[in-house]
Each structure stands twice: as C-alpha cells, then as structure tokens.
Amino acid sequence: MASNSEPADQVVARLTGLPTLGASQSETGLAEVTLADGDVLLLKRGIGRDAALAEATGLRWLADAHAIRIPMVRGADADWLVMDRVPTTRPSIPVAEQLGRELAALHAAGAPAFGAPPPGGPRDAWIGPVPMVNEPGLNWPDWYTRCRVQPYLRSVRNDGLISAVEVAELERVCARLPELVPPIAAPARLHGDLWNGNVLWGADGNP
C-alpha cells in the first residue's frame, strides 16, 4: 500500500496514466507495481517536502548526460516517485570497471555551478530526512563550507552531539580548504547519494 488512503497501484496509475494489475513489496522496501502489459515499476515515497520531485528531476538530469544508464522516471509528484525496476545480478570486475568509466563521463558532463539544482526541479533537496540547500556557487571551498558543512555543524552543535572543541577544529579545517584541496576546474554533475546500495548491477551485464 502506498498510503492509508491511496494504494500503490492507484498511485502509479495516476502518475503514469497506465493501467495496473496490482502491487507488492520489494526486497528494498519499495512497492513493486505490475502494469497491465506485465512490466513492473517501482514506487518510492519521498521522505521530505518535494523530496520525490527533487529526486525525479535529479535522475532525469543525470540521464540527460547520456553517460551512464539511469532507471527511467515514469512519473513523480511532491510525494511519490515512479521508476523502472531494473533486474539485477552479481557484479563482476569488468562491469565495475565499466561503471567507473561511465561515472567519469557523467562527472565530465558538467554543471552550471557547485550546488546547482537540476533543471526544472525544486531548488532544495534532502540528505535523508535533513534539508539540503542547493545554493549555486562558483568557488568550491567557500560553497562547500557554507552549504555542506556549516548548516549541519550548527545542527549537531545545537543538539549537543558535538563539543565546542570539535566545532572549532572543524571550522579551522574549513578555513584552510583553499590551501588543502587542489584547484577544481569546473563543477561536475554528480549523484549526491552514490554508494554500493544505490548501484544496480543489471542482469543484462551492464551497471
């Protein structure tokens, strides 16, 4: 079930305009919805305001680079994301190497600025349940400190999860970022949550 009021198959039918046969739960906790033609789609609920819409526009933006295969987004609104299910298998060394080359091509596709939101999507996104501000910047050390460190540093400090000494140490590191990191030539097009659990090793032999 997608919610107490609207079953998963009805959500998918509403967002895609396609007839459905029913829904079940996937191994990853997402809803699997079978279409009338036998295809299976995944339904995912966003965990914050406009989170599903932000993820949908982000996936489409990555796909527009034509560098790496991305599950097709079939529909989305502020709360729900519908995308193709990818049959998977175990990875192999050649396929992992292929993924590395494709990720490099994706990063080389570029972005308008550091922190630039995907075209057509909401400006802000989420890190899990925590809001993430996508405020474009052209200087990476300054942008990273201001948008990716300080907001969360303030939050954990206010919650008593980090000491004043640790806060001061992290602030000193941020102040030294311009000398600690090499010059970054241009913003890259990134998947903000890329880890092993978010890589699908396709049953057709491609990542």
Side-chain angles (χ1 to χ4, degrees):
M1 302 288 287
S3 69
N4 292 332
S5 59
E6 190 174 18
D9 55 343
Q10 292 184 18
V11 174
V12 170
R14 173 171 58 82
L15 292 177
T16 66
L18 299 172
T20 62
L21 296 179
S24 62
Q25 204 73 8
S26 75
E27 293 180 359
T28 58
L30 307 180
E32 290 189 348
V33 177
T34 302
L35 301 179
D37 63 4
D39 284 349
V40 179
L41 304 181
L42 290 180
L43 176 66
K44 177 180 180 180
R45 181 163 195 159
I47 55 177
R49 181 176 56 86
D50 290 335
L53 185 60
E55 184 171 358
T57 54
L59 290 171
R60 287 170 173 147
W61 188 48
L62 297 179
D64 284 346
H66 302 290
I68 190 169
R69 190 168 60 166
I70 303 292
M72 180 182 293
V73 174
R74 297 291 196 100
D77 61 13
D79 300 311
W80 299 104
L81 168 64
V82 184
M83 54 188 169
D84 282 348
R85 184 189 66 169
V86 178
T88 60
T89 187
R90 294 178 61 84
S92 66
I93 291 176
V95 175
E97 292 174 343
Q98 177 186 339
L99 173 64
R101 290 189 295 269
E102 292 176 351
L103 283 174
L106 174 65
H107 297 169
F114 300 110
R123 190 193 73 164
D124 297 336
W126 298 79
I127 300 178
V130 181
M132 181 178 72
V133 176
N134 283 325
E135 182 177 319
L138 298 178
N139 179 283
W140 185 86
D142 172 73
W143 170 83
Y144 187 78
T145 297
R146 180 167 40 86
C147 297
R148 292 295 181 266
V149 177
Q150 288 178 342
Y152 309 107
L153 190 57
R154 286 193 296 267
S155 177
V156 295
R157 179 189 59 200
N158 294 339
D159 290 342
L161 301 175
I162 192 170
S163 70
V165 172
E166 292 168 318
V167 169
E169 185 65 26
L170 288 169
E171 288 177 338
R172 282 194 292 271
V173 172
C174 287
R176 293 186 57 205
L177 278 182
E179 65 183 88
L180 293 175
V181 300
I184 299 176
R189 192 174 308 199
L190 303 176
H191 185 300
D193 188 23
L194 180 60
W195 62 290
N196 186 59
N198 270 350
V199 176
L200 299 175
W201 306 101
D204 61 358
N206 294 296

